[in-house]
Amino acid sequence: SQLSSCYLTTVADDLDGIYEALKENALLSKFAGGLGNDWTNVRALGSHIKGTNGKSQGVVPFLKVVNDTAVAVNQGGKRKGAVCAYLETWHLDIEEFLELRKNTGDDRRRTHDMNTSNWIPDLFMKRVMEGGEWTLFSPSNCPDLHDKFGTEFEQAYLAYEDKVARGELKLFRKVAAASLWRKMLTMLFETGHPWITFKDPCNIRSPQQHVGVVHSSNLCTEITLNTSESEIAVCNLGSVNLAAHLYPQGHEKFGQLDHVKLQSTITTAMRMLDNVIDINYYAVKKARDANLKHRPVGMGIMGFQDALHELRVPYSSDAAVEFADRSMEAVCYYAYMASTELAEERGRYASYRGSLWDKGLLPQDTVEMLRASRGGYVEVDDSVTLDWNILRARIKQHGMRNSNCVAIAPTATISNIVGVSASIEPTYQNIFVKSNLSGEFTIINDHLVNDLKALGLWDEVMIADLKYFDGSLAKIDRIPAEIRGLYATAFEVEPKWLIEAAARRQKWIDQAQSLNIYMSGVSGRKLDETYKLAWVRGLKTTYYLRTLGATSAEKSTSRAGSLNAVSSTNDTGSAAAPATEETQFCSIDNPECEACQ
């Protein structure tokens, strides 16, 4: 009965608030919710505790409890419990926060099962770009920083730095901004965490900034909703299969989106998501209250890579970036149109008055607001193709049913069920095995198989080659170069193309997108350039950094075509002779085989 996907909470700076948040995590996780916790408000290590006249142990010990709660309470017995903790970059505990996922050090100060994310203000990125110094504070000494963003945050932050200079603040630490940035990227590469997310674009471009602050994103970094001590943000997610909304080959409009079909699908989907808000079971009252008041939903997409395959467009191309722009413009246009139609039928959401929607500002209009706040550092394409004035006029007349309408979630499992690529990602590998609590599933790229069959190249040797090269075509010379380019896998696509496509989408989206960064040949410079590009292109969030290992397992085949077969030991206990067609290969439960054990 619990149909919502994501929950975002803010943790208060006292024991009652902290353990109330832990209880809420447990209840929401029990009924299959993914969690995003904002911990910035909790005072730092060494802060004064008035009630006991002692000193605080900081954020980290509590995060260990959060980690263990996620392990103890899984998602309705169907999925592992999952939570992400967010901390702003000015928090005095930030450097220890960065190390939470390390496999070395004091295990009592490590969280091996929990996700972490940096919530980065624009001022920090400017200091990084300009080689400046950065000051770390405890929120107990500067509580207003937590609720400020943009130019207001910058003014308040500079005022606290002035207090430090005058000796009025004792609990602080100064670091080189570039040094802290390098540590963030180093930990991201070493542990996959904390993820890089940007506080100011999430708030400056939020349609709901009139009634609160976005303090974090969610478990998968695509939801950007207000949270407070009295409100837990909730979002219902759904994803449209983009590949199913293209005109097929042979149609006079082949290569174009079928706008009539897309609008019909999204209109139905938005109605369904809006229904969920009312019929849903809420394990926590604060979540119910917030959801009924603001009514946010997250309409997303999947099968973006499949659509490119249908169009015969490589992911690493300007044409793919342009398609990302045009397709997302259409999805957002029809999602916002559906919400205003629902508003006419069912009424506006309760907190509509004063929102950016109410002021006539659509998500693409807020890119200029971000530029003004940053004083530059925003390089985003502004092209438009649809008539948005029709939508503006309709919203002005009828309002909106939902405070937020669009967010692109990861869609890993549902994409497998539908048979398309996940979300907005390039093909991970053209053949691979996916594992979850339901078992292991072999995933293969059907578009590639069909092309190889048409070329007469689909045979047992090709299957063995695909397995040997981990689904990559780059080294299979008998495949034409055009096909290899079209089916380049995620690690063969330069990360800048992922960023560029995401930037084009982000200008239309009122929330965010779950964007994995795939990178082969990782270096400090490449990491630095990629994440700075993400910031300059106005992205709100990024998700996992996925890198390739320095080595991979050696593979071999026998003449029988069995890949990775392990031969049994011979009677003397030494390694078996080279494989022949008559050689018997061991089974996984052979107690005499060293490889099996």
Side-chain angles (χ1 to χ4, degrees):
S1 59
Q2 199 295 107
L3 301 172
S4 295
S5 308
C6 306
Y7 295 87
L8 287 67
T9 71
T10 284
V11 182
D13 183 33
D14 57 65
L15 278 181
D16 280 347
I18 289 169
Y19 281 93
E20 179 69 18
L22 287 166
K23 177 186 174 183
E24 290 163 351
N25 274 6
L27 287 170
L28 294 169
S29 185
K30 174 183 177 180
F31 293 99
L35 307 169
N37 294 161
D38 155 39
W39 284 87
T40 299
N41 216 26
V42 177
R43 70 191 68 192
L45 178 67
S47 301
H48 181 250
I49 301 173
K50 185 177 180 181
T52 62
N53 201 31
K55 291 187 176 180
S56 170
Q57 292 298 303
V59 172
V60 169
F62 294 114
L63 294 180
K64 177 67 172 172
V65 185
V66 174
N67 177 89
D68 295 342
T69 301
V71 174
V73 186
N74 66 11
Q75 298 187 33
K78 299 177 179 69
R79 299 169 64 185
K80 294 178 180 178
V83 60
C84 181
Y86 286 76
L87 200 71
E88 281 197 52
T89 316
W90 52 264
H91 197 288
L92 199 56
D93 290 348
I94 188 69
E95 290 180 288
E96 196 172 6
F97 180 79
L98 298 180
E99 298 180 345
L100 281 169
R101 289 295 296 258
K102 286 182 74 172
N103 287 323
T104 57
D106 185 352
D107 209 53
R108 292 168 298 182
R109 303 185 79 80
R110 296 288 179 265
T111 58
H112 302 298
D113 306 285
M114 186 180 79
N115 303 299
T116 57
S117 184
N118 287 302
W119 194 237
I120 304 173
D122 280 346
L123 181 59
F124 173 75
M125 293 304 299
K126 287 189 212 174
R127 297 270 178 99
V128 171
M129 294 289 205
E130 296 161 9
E133 199 171 41
W134 185 246
T135 311
L136 305 177
F137 299 106
S138 172
S140 55
N141 294 332
C142 48
D144 57 329
L145 291 183
H146 182 240
D147 284 329
K148 292 185 184 296
F149 58 87
T151 52
E152 279 191 15
F153 172 87
E154 189 165 333
Q155 291 166 3
Y157 185 86
L158 294 174
Y160 283 117
E161 286 192 315
D162 287 341
K163 281 191 172 185
V164 168
R166 296 194 301 268
E168 296 174 19
L169 268 181
K170 301 300 181 185
L171 191 61
F172 71 92
R173 186 163 68 255
K174 285 189 172 291
V175 296
S179 175
L180 183 57
W181 174 246
R182 276 196 302 273
K183 184 168 184 179
M184 287 179 175
L185 298 181
T186 300
M187 288 298 102
L188 187 63
F189 171 64
E190 285 186 14
T191 70
H193 294 84
W195 303 325
I196 303 293
T197 58
F198 301 110
K199 172 186 179 179
D200 287 306
C202 291
N203 278 284
I204 292 165
R205 301 193 60 203
S206 168
Q208 288 294 96
Q209 56 190 259
H210 67 303
V211 289
V213 178
V214 182
H215 291 117
S216 73
S217 188
N218 65 315
L219 175 65
C220 307
T221 76
E222 81 277 6
I223 304 304
T224 53
L225 299 173
N226 301 343
T227 57
S228 67
E229 291 183 28
S230 61
E231 285 192 353
I232 292 176
V234 187
C235 202
N236 311 315
L237 303 178
S239 300
V240 170
N241 178 7
L242 203 57
H245 293 80
L246 296 173
Y247 286 107
Q249 282 189 342
H251 195 283
E252 61 179 17
K253 292 185 178 180
F254 170 68
Q256 299 178 34
L257 279 172
D258 184 341
H259 282 256
V260 174
K261 183 179 180 182
L262 186 64
Q263 182 171 14
S264 174
T265 300
I266 289 175
T267 300
T268 302
M270 288 293 289
R271 180 177 292 272
M272 292 167 67
L273 292 175
D274 188 63
N275 288 343
V276 168
I277 296 168
D278 295 312
I279 66 177
N280 193 30
Y281 168 73
Y282 297 94
V284 176
K285 183 179 183 296
K286 285 191 272 186
R288 183 181 188 277
D289 292 346
N291 214 26
L292 291 175
K293 182 178 180 181
H294 309 301
R295 307 188 69 85
V297 299
M299 189 75 256
I301 61 171
M302 57 184 168
F304 177 77
Q305 173 71 90
D306 295 81
L308 293 182
H309 287 332
E310 293 283 351
L311 299 174
R312 316 299 290 176
V313 172
Y315 205 112
S316 303
S317 67
D318 290 326
V321 173
E322 181 68 17
F323 178 71
D325 197 337
R326 302 285 72 86
S327 59
M328 207 66 227
E329 180 182 12
V331 169
C332 290
Y333 187 94
Y334 298 132
Y336 303 148
M337 182 66 78
S339 186
T340 190
E341 288 172 353
L342 284 169
E344 181 183 7
E345 176 187 335
R346 298 176 170 181
R348 302 170 178 177
Y349 70 91
S351 59
Y352 171 79
R353 188 60 62 196
S355 67
L356 294 190
W357 305 111
D358 184 36
K359 295 177 180 178
L361 293 170
L362 299 179
Q364 64 268 31
D365 304 325
T366 62
V367 173
E368 190 54 44
M369 295 165 62
L370 183 62
R371 273 198 196 98
S373 174
R374 285 186 184 175
Y377 292 116
V378 179
E379 299 169 9
V380 181
D381 177 277
D382 293 321
S383 59
V384 178
T385 59
L386 300 178
D387 188 349
W388 287 84
N389 288 329
I390 295 173
L391 180 59
R392 289 177 205 276
R394 217 181 184 296
I395 293 173
K396 185 176 181 181
Q397 182 179 0
H398 299 292
M400 294 286 282
R401 178 64 173 169
N402 313 97
S403 67
N404 298 75
C405 299
V406 180
I408 304 179
T411 77
T413 301
I414 60 170
S415 292
N416 290 154
I417 294 169
V418 173
V420 296
S421 58
S423 189
I424 51 177
E425 299 185 16
T427 301
Y428 172 61
Q429 289 172 345
N430 287 305
I431 183 170
F432 67 97
V433 175
K434 173 186 171 66
S435 299
N436 61 25
L437 290 185
S438 298
E440 293 190 343
F441 305 88
T442 300
I443 311 297
I444 191 160
N445 188 336
D446 291 331
H447 300 280
L448 171 63
V449 173
N450 292 336
D451 275 359
L452 293 177
K453 284 180 177 177
L455 293 168
L457 296 175
W458 185 250
D459 50 33
E460 288 188 14
V461 176
M462 180 61 71
I463 294 169
D465 283 346
L466 278 172
K467 290 178 180 179
Y468 185 83
F469 291 113
D470 291 324
S472 169
L473 310 185
K475 295 181 181 178
I476 307 178
D477 293 335
R478 66 187 180 123
I479 297 178
E482 179 188 350
I483 299 296
R484 278 182 278 160
L486 184 61
Y487 294 104
T489 56
F491 291 108
E492 295 162 350
V493 173
E494 279 296 312
K496 74 161 192 170
W497 292 109
L498 304 176
I499 301 288
E500 296 293 358
R504 294 289 194 97
R505 293 187 203 96
Q506 189 62 76
K507 72 177 173 183
W508 305 112
I509 300 172
D510 60 2
Q511 293 198 69
Q513 51 195 317
S514 190
L515 179 69
N516 286 311
I517 304 294
Y518 291 88
M519 192 178 293
S520 61
V522 180
S523 66
R525 173 177 288 185
K526 196 169 183 178
L527 282 169
D528 180 61
E529 290 173 350
T530 299
Y531 282 96
K532 282 179 178 174
L533 179 66
W535 180 66
V536 168
R537 289 289 186 269
L539 293 189
K540 295 181 179 180
T541 61
T542 63
Y543 196 25
Y544 281 100
L545 169 67
R546 303 191 184 275
T547 59
L548 283 174
T551 60
S552 59
E554 183 179 342
K555 301 180 183 70
S556 61
T557 58
S558 71
R559 280 187 288 170
S562 300
L563 186 73
N564 288 341
V566 181
S567 61
S568 63
T569 55
N570 59 22
D571 293 338
T572 63
S574 60
T580 68
E581 288 187 10
E582 292 73 37
T583 301
Q584 294 296 310
F585 294 104
C586 66
S587 58
I588 59 171
D589 58 351
N590 184 349
E592 298 178 359
C593 176
E594 188 177 278
C596 289
Q597 306 310 311

